[in-house]
């Protein structure tokens, strides 16, 4: 059996179904505070593309390599150029050049209010833009059902019969 990648190591700790629930909650609470701290720093200068090896970035943000891998896993979908997270090692060069709108919407999608409500967003987007991005993301996950066909409505198949005497009979 091959050795686990650092991403697999991170995921086996973070999503361990056999772990004690309280221990896992403490793990995530600690991680979310670390994540918030890194985002606060990144959003201070949102146009700067931070890059380096995984190990260098972990040192820059004062974190362990595995914690940095967790952060990279989380931000990867918001990057302009995704990192090769599946096969990266601590010596893999990665970048944190993120798409600001996409990052904001992904934070909303993840229900991470501690991230999309960071004060740093106020210098990136005005209140109106933040509200628009929030609503756009929320609506993207909404499923709109079509009008329900009544028993006595004309059948949508075009036969001219009532729905109950045509396709509705099989329903």
């Amino acid at each position: 059996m091959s050795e686990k990648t650092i991403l697999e190591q991170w995921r086996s700790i973070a999503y361990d179904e056999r772990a004690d629930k309280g221990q896992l909650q403490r793990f995530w609470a600690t991680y979310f505070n670390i994540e918030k701290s890194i985002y606060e720093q990144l959003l201070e200068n949102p146009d700067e593309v931070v890059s380096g090896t995984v190990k260098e970035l972990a040192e820059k943000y004062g974190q362990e390599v595995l914690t940095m891998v967790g952060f990279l896993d989380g931000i990867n979908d918001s990057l302009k150029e995704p990192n090769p997270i599946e096969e990266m090692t601590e010596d893999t060069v990665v970048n944190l050049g993120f798409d600001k709108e996409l990052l904001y919407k992904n934070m909303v999608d993840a229900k991470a209010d501690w991230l999309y409500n960071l004060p740093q967003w106020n210098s990136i987007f005005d209140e109106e833009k933040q509200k628009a991005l929030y609503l756009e993301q929320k609506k993207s996950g909404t499923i709109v059902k079509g009008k329900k066909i009544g028993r006595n409505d004309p059948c949508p198949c075009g036969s001219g019969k009532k729905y109950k005497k045509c396709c509705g009979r099989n329903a």
Side-chain angles (χ1 to χ4, degrees), residues 40-106:
E40 286 171 337
Q41 294 172 63
L42 281 175
L43 294 173
E44 283 297 327
N45 192 355
D47 295 319
E48 176 191 351
V49 178
V50 176
S51 66
T53 65
V54 174
K55 188 175 184 177
E56 289 169 349
L57 291 181
E59 289 169 2
K60 174 180 174 127
Y61 293 107
Q63 302 307 319
E64 293 178 19
V65 169
L66 275 183
T67 305
M68 194 67 217
V69 167
F71 181 83
L72 290 168
D73 187 20
I75 196 173
N76 211 46
D77 290 340
S78 303
L79 299 177
K80 292 177 183 172
E81 291 178 40
N83 291 310
I85 61 169
E86 297 294 336
E87 62 269 351
M88 71 183 166
T89 67
E90 61 181 39
D91 297 321
T92 303
V93 176
V94 293
N95 85 75
L96 301 178
F98 57 91
D99 177 310
K100 293 179 272 251
E101 288 188 8
L102 184 57
L103 178 61
Y104 188 87
K105 289 196 273 187
N106 285 342

Side-chain angles (χ1 to χ4, degrees), residues 87-153:
E87 62 269 351
M88 71 183 166
T89 67
E90 61 181 39
D91 297 321
T92 303
V93 176
V94 293
N95 85 75
L96 301 178
F98 57 91
D99 177 310
K100 293 179 272 251
E101 288 188 8
L102 184 57
L103 178 61
Y104 188 87
K105 289 196 273 187
N106 285 342
M107 289 174 170
V108 170
D109 187 44
K111 297 175 177 63
D113 57 335
W114 65 94
L115 296 177
Y116 67 78
N117 285 328
L118 286 171
Q120 287 82 353
W121 283 112
N122 297 333
S123 59
I124 299 170
F125 301 126
D126 61 27
E127 192 176 331
E128 204 172 294
K129 180 68 172 176
Q130 288 180 51
K131 197 175 204 176
L133 290 171
Y134 180 89
L135 290 173
E136 187 179 326
Q137 180 57 43
K138 287 295 187 185
K139 284 180 183 174
S140 73
T142 304
I143 299 169
V144 179
K145 290 186 176 180
K147 183 181 175 282
K148 186 175 179 200
I149 304 164
R151 291 173 27 89
N152 291 315
D153 291 342

Side-chain angles (χ1 to χ4, degrees), residues 158-171:
S159 67
K161 297 179 183 177
K162 287 185 178 183
Y163 178 68
K164 68 182 178 187
K165 295 282 188 183
C166 191
C167 295
R169 183 175 282 173
N170 302 331

